[in-house]
Amino acid sequence: MAVLFPTMIFPIPTDPLAAYGPLVANRNPETVAPQPYIHFTVKAQTPTIGAEISGLRLSGDLSDEVIAELRRALLEWKVLFFRDQDIDRAEHRAFAERWGSLEQHPFFKYTQPGQTDIDVTTLAKDAMVGGVENNWHNDVTWHEHPSFAAVLRAVEVPEVGGDTLWADTAAAYDLLPQDIKDRIEHLEAEHDWINAFGKSMPAEAVEMLRPKFPPVQHPVVRVIPESGRRVLFVNMTFTQRIVGVSQEESNELLTLLYRHVNRPEFQVRLKWEPNTVAFWDNRTCQHYASSDYFPARRVMDRISIVGDRPLGVRSS
């Protein structure tokens, strides 16, 4: 899992994740050879996750060749950052529509009052409403078809704080000890919204929506069809348990996997500026919105793109 230097203290044997020294994963799977980008400039933010893209205007009529190259960059870097994008809501939507059908989130009208569109969610936080998205998560894993990706646009940002972090769950999987990979390879986990969104919604709304969105099961190790890359697909916000094992083993494995994803070596952090846009692959990374800016105001517009049913190792 890690290179251990002779001058350093060896890991504690009882901790399966203990490691000292380099934790370096491949950015791409071994079957994918890196290629140059010709339509825009890519500036790496960390070795495996996060790249700032320059030389593009998202409000423009982007060619199919540019979109294809952006898709390749998204697979390689998991999250892309675009600065100085003075775009409006319609242009935001037009860019997101290049990637698939837009998601209509069923809960935000209850948990984020004042929404004006069914496909653009305004996340407005201030002295009256504090940010609560400060847990690591993939979006909408409680759905049979979790989001493929999301496009988040900074409308108003605090003077300091309010950063967003992303964690590379492909690198996290790659650097797991082999015995843990073997344990989780064919397991599935149950995902549910009831203990997240359900806690802040009226009881009658929960009762109405529950039959439409029952708990779902997804593979713990998800395989990305375009690349064959394996990623960890459990998160502390929506994953309830690992099925087919005891509650004790489920708790042990989930705690271990969450702690592993939390390693700084797998993370990138974005300091928002007005007109910054982040575009991430919801399948291959988790995100965390730092809630350190209260009572300052922070407003974001988010559009999510509909995804497909996650594939596991057996079905890939």
Side-chain angles (χ1 to χ4, degrees), residues 12-74:
I12 302 168
T14 56
D15 184 348
L17 293 182
Y20 300 91
L23 285 170
V24 183
N26 292 323
R27 190 165 60 248
N28 286 309
E30 294 180 356
T31 56
V32 176
Q35 301 177 48
Y37 292 96
I38 60 175
H39 292 97
F40 46 78
T41 300
V42 176
K43 183 179 180 182
Q45 304 298 291
T46 79
T48 69
I49 181 171
E52 187 168 303
I53 306 297
S54 57
L56 281 184
R57 299 295 303 171
L58 299 186
S59 59
D61 185 15
L62 300 178
S63 68
D64 291 343
E65 291 78 14
V66 170
I67 293 296
E69 197 162 276
L70 280 174
R71 185 179 294 274
R72 177 159 59 85
L74 189 67

Side-chain angles (χ1 to χ4, degrees), residues 148-184:
F148 155 60
V151 186
L152 186 65
R153 177 172 66 98
V155 178
E156 187 175 345
V157 297
E159 184 176 344
V160 66
D163 299 352
T164 302
L165 298 86
W166 286 263
D168 183 343
T169 54
Y173 173 81
D174 286 352
L175 294 180
L176 275 173
Q178 186 59 50
D179 62 322
I180 297 175
K181 288 182 180 179
D182 293 341
R183 286 179 67 188
I184 65 174

Side-chain angles (χ1 to χ4, degrees), residues 213-238:
F213 302 104
V216 297
Q217 293 182 9
H218 297 309
V220 173
V221 180
R222 181 175 185 172
V223 179
I224 306 304
E226 303 99 301
S227 64
R229 193 75 186 267
R230 296 184 180 189
V231 303
L232 294 177
F233 201 65
V234 291
N235 69 90
M236 62 171 49
T237 301
F238 300 122

Side-chain angles (χ1 to χ4, degrees), residues 92-114:
H92 183 181
R93 181 185 288 110
F95 174 74
E97 286 177 332
R98 297 296 300 273
W99 303 91
S101 300
L102 304 188
E103 202 163 64
Q104 300 178 20
H105 201 293
F107 306 135
F108 275 139
K109 65 180 179 181
Y110 303 103
T111 62
Q112 303 281 336

Side-chain angles (χ1 to χ4, degrees), residues 61-256:
D61 185 15
L62 300 178
S63 68
D64 291 343
E65 291 78 14
V66 170
I67 293 296
E69 197 162 276
L70 280 174
R71 185 179 294 274
R72 177 159 59 85
L74 189 67
L75 284 170
E76 180 173 3
W77 294 101
K78 295 86 178 179
V79 55
L80 307 178
F81 306 135
F82 305 83
R83 299 287 191 183
D84 303 317
Q85 300 290 326
D86 186 11
I87 61 176
D88 60 23
R89 182 169 285 212
E91 292 166 328
H92 183 181
R93 181 185 288 110
F95 174 74
E97 286 177 332
R98 297 296 300 273
W99 303 91
S101 300
L102 304 188
E103 202 163 64
Q104 300 178 20
H105 201 293
F107 306 135
F108 275 139
K109 65 180 179 181
Y110 303 103
T111 62
Q112 303 281 336
Q115 301 301 317
T116 58
D117 291 301
I118 59 174
D119 54 6
V120 183
T121 300
T122 298
L123 303 167
K125 311 295 180 179
D126 52 28
M128 302 300 293
V129 182
V132 295
E133 296 83 10
N134 51 334
N135 268 318
W136 287 105
H137 62 287
N138 311 78
D139 287 330
V140 199
T141 64
W142 43 265
H143 200 287
E144 185 178 0
H145 301 95
S147 306
F148 155 60
V151 186
L152 186 65
R153 177 172 66 98
V155 178
E156 187 175 345
V157 297
E159 184 176 344
V160 66
D163 299 352
T164 302
L165 298 86
W166 286 263
D168 183 343
T169 54
Y173 173 81
D174 286 352
L175 294 180
L176 275 173
Q178 186 59 50
D179 62 322
I180 297 175
K181 288 182 180 179
D182 293 341
R183 286 179 67 188
I184 65 174
E185 186 174 74
H186 298 300
L187 295 177
E188 293 200 337
E190 179 181 282
H191 297 248
D192 200 355
W193 56 274
I194 202 74
N195 291 320
F197 290 109
K199 296 295 186 183
S200 55
M201 291 166 54
E204 59 272 20
V206 173
E207 184 177 358
M208 177 186 67
L209 290 167
R210 187 52 166 162
K212 299 180 182 180
F213 302 104
V216 297
Q217 293 182 9
H218 297 309
V220 173
V221 180
R222 181 175 185 172
V223 179
I224 306 304
E226 303 99 301
S227 64
R229 193 75 186 267
R230 296 184 180 189
V231 303
L232 294 177
F233 201 65
V234 291
N235 69 90
M236 62 171 49
T237 301
F238 300 122
T239 303
Q240 306 299 306
R241 63 187 179 93
I242 294 178
V243 299
V245 301
S246 69
Q247 189 65 56
E248 181 180 15
E249 184 177 0
S250 173
N251 292 343
E252 175 225 340
L253 281 172
L254 289 176
T255 299
L256 182 148

